[in-house]
Amino acid sequence: MRLTLIVLALAYVLSQFFRAFLAVLANPLQTDIGASASELSEASGYWFLAFALMQLPVGWALDTLGPKRTTAVLMAFGAGGGSIVFSIATDPWQIQLAMAMIGIGCSPVLMASLYIIGRSFPPTSFATIGAFILGIGSLGNIGAAYPMTFLVETFGWRESIGMIGSITISIALVCYIVVKDPPKITNSEKGSILTLLRMRAIWFILPLVLVNYAASGGLRGFWIGPYFTDIFDATAAQVGTVTTVMAIAMIAGNFFYGPLDRIFGTRKWVIFCGNFTGASLCLLLYLFGGTGFWTTATIIAGIGFFGASFPVLIAHGRSFFPDHLMGRGVTLMNLFGMGGVGLMQNFSARIYNAKLVEATAPINAYNAIFLVFCVSILIGLTIYLFSEDRTN
């Protein structure tokens, strides 16, 4: 299964790229097709919402069809086709449609990896191996920063997205050739997503999953670009630099969280402390963002670092799922995680527009978004306090 996980990690690099590349395309898209910041935030949100809504059919497909066909088909037609639509777009709604298509195409990649890890490796290794896949895949986050800026400045944004679309279709083909499905479980037990939702143990985990990634995913996925452009008058190269710094912090965070549940013998308090720190940094960004370019960049990098607890949260939820519902279990968690970012991106676009009308300075519109990020994480943590810790 090692080669299978390597290929899926490569596919996940593209998934991470696609959720973050809009941050460096804000200026050219605003100039060429008249897309506003709120329209592009909504486009980013549609990626996450489409990704999230696909988790239920993806969970069924993983349990019945297997990771191989599920990943290859959706990636080729969704992400590959969406890239083509993006590259020929002439109107903001076409960008939004393309992002939704790409979200559908990326929806099975990480879950296919976690499904194989859950089925083929010891449960105690789940968080560590999952974090490793996330860390490797997060190289796409870096690719969506300065390297994407360089590509766009060298070839143009249409040509760059067209090239990436061709690479996406090629990797989908490699997935179909190389990925191996784990043996099917012959189990007389039945169940569905409703079986999982009736488990009281996950009621206290899912609310935090819903908001855990909203701040780091929302900032890196879009808001970091226009924020530094509007507040610090940053150039395209400077936006590429700060997005790269945040991307590196997010990768480091994945590797940081990976072994902590085994080191400290707890998942609950690793997750709680990390997310509380992330919420505190959102508050710092609200209070002191805009006071200095690198001060702000450092705070945002910290939000990315401590917001990387998703693999440990998945492991916490996975510990309650029966093996024959593994696919549907991990995709349920992912539905809440990515759906939360999608909802927050659309909600934050509306907050931004409302505050921009009444605010005397643009930073007030951004600060309102950061405060919402902080409060939402704190609410999720309050509910999570009642969850049952489990490390097996």
Side-chain angles (χ1 to χ4, degrees), residues 205-219:
I205 299 174
L206 289 178
L208 182 58
V209 176
L210 185 69
V211 298
N212 154 259
Y213 189 47
S216 57
L219 282 166

Side-chain angles (χ1 to χ4, degrees), residues 298-315:
T298 301
I299 295 172
I300 290 178
I303 293 170
F305 181 89
F306 288 102
S309 64
F310 191 61
V312 192
L313 264 171
I314 289 279

